[in-house]
DNA sequence: ATCCAGTATTGGAACGGTCCAGGCGATCCG
DNA sequence: CGGATCGCCTGGACCGTTCCAATACTGGAT
């Protein structure tokens, strides 16, 4: 009596050699069929395809990566999926990658300072850094040299000259929003400034538009969070010479501004108008109905994917490029004429 | 003059053999150090580690996967990252996977019907299906047999008996919400029922609680979207015998209900109370201030990760388990006493 | 000195693909 | 008719690991 069973454990999935044996050809030919080479006769090709179908053959990505010395994978560094901005950008990026046979591998730049290095260790073919990168990320990207192509999406980043950049034209967006408020007769307009390069660009666009209209700007430094928007708006709106309009750093910040106005009993837009930026899902909520600048963020993600795919195709070894997507103003119920 | 440069292209990253040569040992020993085997002398171990550090060696995951015949990767099937519920669950799941040395690979079940099969083709070690799975997903999971362990997170799914299940106790949550409304003296309460198993469970909990209090329920079939919540609430609230409270299928649906109440000029909670489910970011918005059932969804994600890790460790080849997380009611400004 | 039991180390065969240098008929051309 | 050409196909090396069987030491007991 045999104690060892004859079948060797759980049946392994078929390999290229199994298929070759079944089709009566060499494994090399199966490989050629796999990458549908034109140098295979129709007859053989059909035989191989039939064998594959019968066996339910699926190529092993690990083996392929090892031999090809590329993974068909791109790392995507995100900060916070809770922020719909990142999700929307990802929604634009993902299909492009898919169309180029690339898989996204998400990493969290906020909780994991070594995200870029970790992705490099995984041998991703390229990296998309979404949003304002942490200092550590910048260092690591620079450290990569030209080993791995990098695209920065969603922000212009002056410290990073080695990567392609695709971003919303923040300057233009801030001008749109400011012009809208000026047209409604607002003169006392406050702007809550966001952090980093994006914050600076939006501020500069705002200031330029204000001055061109002969109006003095009033900027306060803030960040992208609801809490800060709330706190700063309370301070701004609690004064006698309170602004009649507030241009928030982004939608999230604007949500905080709305809350502050509500608490102070100020009608929106009757007594104070509020403008956000990014046109996220929050802006569209009926109860908020926030006028916002649509940064076409999905389009940014799409362009970023295309830029990376072009780099990977190798047909574009030129200097890093910058591409700006033109934003658009979406007017809703949170803005109206100044009293 | 030589046209061909002497260095063979871009320097390849160091391999286990490079390290071995540098440390003066065999590649096998380097491999042993890599998996820190106790059967290596301290002296050699130190030499190998030093060589690795000097060369900046990083193991190649593809080669490792090929040899180990596992990828240390788990597929996560999601429907919609736009919905914060999925994001919050993912936030609970991700750290657990990370702690077990597993990487998540996200797939979109909504746009890609073959998501489960595609993940299997990628040779993921396990799969987490988040939310109510599409029919195609169910078929594919069943088709996998026991080749790949599967955990369903966020919903009980009676059609899927091969997988572990971790979910919120929807029945209990609906009871909490309903009891809260009854305590406030509401008697005409409408419930918008969500789709699938989750919708059924919440409905049953609601009905049971209503009947136990001697009150007749009023359920209408809906789904999880804002649009449907809006439409159904308009119908419900437009009648003379309109309900004094509405238990929405989830928060998103509740957002639509609020919009309907606003349009009809009905005060919330003065003339109608509204309850959501999931306690997402929407419920916490000051302008909405939605009473909601916190489904502790991050905890669900965490438990799902642990269940999958246990399966992968192989120490638990038992029958599929079901684990329910107890929800909690979060009372905010959208509910109050019946008039 | 010899043998033995461990322990530390090594060589080589996988793992499942890609890719390259030929091989082998059949066709073409001089 | 012989050789070059072409189209199709094959064997084998290689990608960077893991794992196993075999070997080389070490020191103590005989």
């Amino acid at each position: 009596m045999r104690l060892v069973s004859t079948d060797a454990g759980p049946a392994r999935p078929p390999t290229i050699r199994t298929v070759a044996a079944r089709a009566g050809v060499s494994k090399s030919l199966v490989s050629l069929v796999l990458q549908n080479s034109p140098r295979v006769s129709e007859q053989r090709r059909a035989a191989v395809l039939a064998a594959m179908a019968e066996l339910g053959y699926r190529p092993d990505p690990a083996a392929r990566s090892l031999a090809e010395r590329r993974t068909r994978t791109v790392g995507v560094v995100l900060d916070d999926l809770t922020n719909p901005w990142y999700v929307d950008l990802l929604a634009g990026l993902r299909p492009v990658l898919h169309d180029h046979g690339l898989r996204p591998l998400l990493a969290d730049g906020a909780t994991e300072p070594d995200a870029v290095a970790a992705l490099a260790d995984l041998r991703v073919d390229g990296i998309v850094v979404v949003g304002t990168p942490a200092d550590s990320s910048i260092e690591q990207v620079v450290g990569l040299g030209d080993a791995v192509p990098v695209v920065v999406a969603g922000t212009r980043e002056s410290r990073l000259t080695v990567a392609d950049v695709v971003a919303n034209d923040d300057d233009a967006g801030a001008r749109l929003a400011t012009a809208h408020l000026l047209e409604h007769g607002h003169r006392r307009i406050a702007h809550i400034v966001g952090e980093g390069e994006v914050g600076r660009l939006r501020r500069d666009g705002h200031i330029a538009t204000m001055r061109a209209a002969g109006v003095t700007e009033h900027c306060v430094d803030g960040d992208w969070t609801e809490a800060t928007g709330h706190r700063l708006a309370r301070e701004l709106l609690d004064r006698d010479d309170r602004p009649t309009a507030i241009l928030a750093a982004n939608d999230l910040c604007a949500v905080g501004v709305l809350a502050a106005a509500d608490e102070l009993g100020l009608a929106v837009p009757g007594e104070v108008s509020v403008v956000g930026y990014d046109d996220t899902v929050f802006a569209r909520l009926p109860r908020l109905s926030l006028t916002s600048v649509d940064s076409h963020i999905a389009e940014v993600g799409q362009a970023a994917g295309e830029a990376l795919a072009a780099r990977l195709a190798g047909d574009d070894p030129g200097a890093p490029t910058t591409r700006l997507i033109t934003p658009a103003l979406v007017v809703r119920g949170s803005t109206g004429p100044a009293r």
Side-chain angles (χ1 to χ4, degrees), chain A residues 153-174:
Chain A
T155 180
R156 275 178 270 183
E157 178 49 71
S158 52
R159 294 171 295 169
L160 217 43
T161 53
V162 295
D164 290 320
V165 171
V166 181
N168 157 257
D169 190 342
D170 293 291
D171 185 88

Side-chain angles (χ1 to χ4, degrees), chain A residues 267-306:
Chain A
V268 175
E271 292 168 286
V272 54
S273 287
V274 180
V275 180
Y277 204 115
D278 288 339
D279 196 35
T280 58
V281 60
F282 294 116
R284 288 190 287 270
L285 286 176
R287 279 247 180 139
L288 306 195
S289 186
L290 192 62
T291 294
S292 188
V293 178
D294 183 352
S295 46
H296 296 314
I297 197 60
E299 205 178 317
V300 170
Q302 184 182 339
E306 278 157 6

